[in-house]
Amino acid sequence: IMSDLSAPGGRRKSKQSDELPWHQKLACRMLRMGPTPKHVAFIMDGNRRYAKKHQLQRIVGHTRGYQTLLEVLKWCNELDVKVATVYAFALDNFKRSRKEVESLMELATRKFTEMLDSEKTISQYGVRVQVLGALDRLPTKLQHVMARVMQSTRGHTKLTLNIAFAYSARYEVQQAAVSIRRGVMEGDLKAEDSQSGLLERCLYTSGLPEPDLLIRTSGETRLSDFLVSQCRRGTYLSFVKALWPELSFWNFFGVVFAYQRHHASLVHDRRSMAEIETKTDAEGVDDDNMEERILRFIEKRKKERERYIDRLAVQFQCASASSR
């Protein structure tokens, strides 16, 4: 899908580079004969270790990692994955050296700008881009270009690409709790509405399916504060030894095949947990208007978020016009 974005200045590569090799297409066709994940999450770990291993600058490792992401998105598209969520930059990453953080911000700004340059291609494939995280902690220029990409792809429905940037699960839950508290204070919600699983419905991924599969590279076996709430039931966790820039199609194939082998038990576990939570949430709740009230509140939050993104996007357009 996104191979166009890796070309300098967003220039389109040759048609052949957009196509998977025949043996990868055949392997994907075999996987599609079984249950395939609709939401796949990735912890892209190992860029810095890759650079050290090959005696390269750290930013080169991150650039190679971006190239791997483009390949992974093509694999997901071939399997008809509907949502891909990638952990691009954690809030804790701000603790790294100033030079490395600045280099990562510059790389992100460049790649999001290339997405805008390839806007027609993104529209053709129906890719919707969302950035999950604390946008206000990012450089102004990066905020603006991210907002413009999100605004321009908002209506696309084939594949949702969630980019977790300046993100942590703890911060995500805190923001959801603050939003609910404000909703109660403003009269949009009642205090007892929080007993109905409302917190989960106010996370960044609200309205999207829970991850079916989460892949972490580099051999680490922890979630590192990524989608903790979303992965607590029925998500197949796979920890791959390969560093992220070294992740191969056959690594991915093996993980999806393992997911298929465990699919029945994963579905059973997810249904069982959902039934328990539904029963628990329903206990002591006697308000026929609760669900309608919650839906109005969620829709209001969605509109507020869109207006915030639109304001940032307008600032990007104004800055672009003044620089000409």
Side-chain angles (χ1 to χ4, degrees), residues 211-213 231-236 259 266-267 269-270 273:
D212 300 299
L213 171 62
C231 293
R232 60 192 174 86
R233 56 178 176 232
T235 299
Y236 183 75
Y259 161 81
L266 292 169
V267 170
D269 291 346
R270 179 167 288 178
M273 290 191 67

Side-chain angles (χ1 to χ4, degrees), residues 91-202:
L91 275 175
D92 280 350
N93 290 158
F94 280 114
K95 298 176 183 177
R96 295 180 178 179
S97 71
R98 180 177 178 180
K99 180 180 179 181
E100 182 177 2
V101 171
E102 288 178 350
S103 296
L104 286 169
M105 295 301 149
E106 291 172 2
L107 176 64
T109 302
R110 188 164 65 250
K111 294 308 178 183
F112 273 93
T113 302
E114 288 177 8
M115 288 187 191
L116 283 179
D117 293 338
S118 300
E119 185 175 346
K120 289 184 179 179
T121 301
I122 295 176
S123 298
Q124 176 186 346
Y125 286 103
V127 181
R128 178 190 181 196
V129 179
Q130 296 191 124
V131 180
L132 318 180
L135 291 184
D136 57 346
R137 301 194 185 186
L138 301 175
T140 301
K141 185 176 181 180
L142 180 54
Q143 290 183 45
H144 292 172
V145 70
M146 283 179 166
R148 184 68 186 97
V149 170
M150 286 188 279
Q151 182 191 56
S152 65
T153 63
R154 185 180 293 159
H156 301 169
T157 58
K158 185 174 182 181
L159 171 68
T160 297
L161 172 60
N162 295 321
I163 303 174
F165 208 100
Y167 170 93
S168 78
R170 181 179 301 179
Y171 179 81
E172 179 182 22
V173 170
Q174 288 174 345
Q175 291 301 107
V178 168
S179 178
I180 292 171
R181 181 175 180 271
R182 190 182 70 188
V184 173
M185 293 178 65
E186 294 178 354
D188 296 324
L189 297 169
K190 293 183 178 180
E192 56 268 27
D193 292 344
S194 60
Q195 301 175 18
S196 60
L198 177 59
L199 185 69
E200 187 173 335
R201 298 169 72 176
C202 291

Side-chain angles (χ1 to χ4, degrees), residues 1-19 62-74 107-119 121-122 125 161:
I1 290 177
M2 311 283 278
S3 58
D4 301 278
L5 309 184
S6 61
R11 293 192 299 274
R12 186 176 179 85
K13 290 186 174 184
S14 66
K15 186 174 181 180
Q16 285 185 337
S17 67
D18 291 340
E19 298 290 334
H62 293 299
T63 302
R64 298 279 174 84
Y66 176 79
Q67 293 167 352
T68 298
L69 172 60
L70 299 178
E71 288 299 309
V72 168
L73 290 175
K74 288 195 286 186
L107 176 64
T109 302
R110 188 164 65 250
K111 294 308 178 183
F112 273 93
T113 302
E114 288 177 8
M115 288 187 191
L116 283 179
D117 293 338
S118 300
E119 185 175 346
T121 301
I122 295 176
Y125 286 103
L161 172 60

